[in-house]
């Protein structure tokens, strides 16, 4: 299971013996794997300040868990083509999350225990807030690029009626800078090629003879050019439609086409440089500006954009780790480490509030061995530590029992201090 129970009990002789009994029973019945969870001594301050910290740490705990779950999901999004390898990229200090939790050691350098407890909590909170701010910024940039690429793919892989034509046509296909003549693009069904060739010159007056040329086609039809006088455009469109020939509204604008091609190049470059390990919105094999169903040599195709670079070579270049994934891995580790330190802080504060001063308690990390055993494990804990709080122990068996002065639900309160750690971040 990916679930852990972090508990604590007073460190006096009676409760040390209770912990030993718990270890014996849980090991014998294979209910849980238990390890000591070492928490350093902190500067306690006043009990009033601890009550305030207890509430603040509860909120910080929830925020940290939400943050690392969002970061884990971002790793999934970025590694869309390698989902099976996501878990191996979710590490803490270079080790898997379970190993980090079960071998937890307080980071004295990052969170000095000589500082007041409130300062330690403030340091953790500021660190997580900065990671959250950076994550939002980077995610926004990622989503903007993802949306742009999705739009680009839709424009580049549709049929001849909807797709962009800037990567299909060339300057030589058009009569340009003429006061009287204009070149139109007409989509003709494949079954009507012969009819088009026989009739296009007579669809209207003033059509230039032998001016048609097939420049691209897909599975449904072909894209033909035709040159005629500007004054008969409307009449030609009407007659073409009557014959089931569709004129595409497209006029060659070299500056606009150049701008669109540059935008294509920029987006592809951004995708490769910033998010190399992700397909963003595109699976491997998908083709931006390279619709295999459209014949011809698209001017905006990857072959032209990459100056003849082989497809296989370009594809291998996209398999490295981009800056976003590297940032996510580093900062996920930092956020996760901070989260487990928050759990340790919560155990310390709650143990002092529950068991009193001087500080003397023992924390233990339990990993339930199977989901079906959690009820039995809870019964063992309640039996072993019942003496700490008879009312709380009874309330776990009878949810109708109210615990005076507590805002927690009876399901969250036990005779011992208890916090749950769930490593199922992608569930």
């Amino acid at each position: 299971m990916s679930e852990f129970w972090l508990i604590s009990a007073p460190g006096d002789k009676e409760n040390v013996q209770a912990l030993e009994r718990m270890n014996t029973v849980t090991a014998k019945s294979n209910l849980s794997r238990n390890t000591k969870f070492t928490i350093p001594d902190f500067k306690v301050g006043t009990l009033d300040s601890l009550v305030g910290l207890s509430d603040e740490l509860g909120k910080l705990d929830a925020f940290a868990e939400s943050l690392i779950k969002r970061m884990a999901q971002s790793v999934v999004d970025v590694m869309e083509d390698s989902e099976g390898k996501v878990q191996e990229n979710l590490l803490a200090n270079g080790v898997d999350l379970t190993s980090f939790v079960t071998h937890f050691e307080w980071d004295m350098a990052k969170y000095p225990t000589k500082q007041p407890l409130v300062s330690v909590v403030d340091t953790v909170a500021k660190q997580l807030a900065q990671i959250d701010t950076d994550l939002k910024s980077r995610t926004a940039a990622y989503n903007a690029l993802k949306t742009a690429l999705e739009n680009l793919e839709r424009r580049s892989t549709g049929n001849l009626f909807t797709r962009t034509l800037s990567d299909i046509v060339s300057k030589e296909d058009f009569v340009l800078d003429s006061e009287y003549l204009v070149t139109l693009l007409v989509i003709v069904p494949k079954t009507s090629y012969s009819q088009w060739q026989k009739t296009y010159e007579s669809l209207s007056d003033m059509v230039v003879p032998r001016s048609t040329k097939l420049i691209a086609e897909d599975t449904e039809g072909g894209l033909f050019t035709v040159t005629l006088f500007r004054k008969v455009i409307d009449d030609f469109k009407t007659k073409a439609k009557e014959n089931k020939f569709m004129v595409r509204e497209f006029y060659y604008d070299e500056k606009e086409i150049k701008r669109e091609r540059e935008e294509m190049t920029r987006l592809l470059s951004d995708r490769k440089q910033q998010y190399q390990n992700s397909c963003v919105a595109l699976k491997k094999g998908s083709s931006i500006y390279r619709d295999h169903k459209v014949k011809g040599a698209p001017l905006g195709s990857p072959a032209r954009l990459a100056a003849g670079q082989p497809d296989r070579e370009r594809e291998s270049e996209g398999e490295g780790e981009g800056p976003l994934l590297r940032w996510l891995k580093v900062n996920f580790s930092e956020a996760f480490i901070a989260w487990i330190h928050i759990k340790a802080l919560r155990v310390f504060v709650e143990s002092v509030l529950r068991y009193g001063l001087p500080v003397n308690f023992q924390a233990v990390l339990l990993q339930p061995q199977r989901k079906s055993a959690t009820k039995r494990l809870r019964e063992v804990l309640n039996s072993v530590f019942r003496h700490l709080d008879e009312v709380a122990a009874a309330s776990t068996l009878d949810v109708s029992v109210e615990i005076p002065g507590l805002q927690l639900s009876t399901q969250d309160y036990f005779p011992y201090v208890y916090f749950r750690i769930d490593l199922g971040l992608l569930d």
Side-chain angles (χ1 to χ4, degrees), residues 35-37 95 97-106 365:
T35 55
K36 186 177 180 181
F37 194 87
V95 300
L97 305 184
T98 296
S99 295
F100 180 84
V101 173
T102 54
H103 296 85
F104 174 76
E105 292 183 6
W106 186 269
L365 186 72

Side-chain angles (χ1 to χ4, degrees), residues 128 185 187 204 378 384 419 425:
L128 291 174
L185 297 177
I187 300 171
S204 177
R378 187 67 73 189
V384 169
F419 293 104
L425 304 178

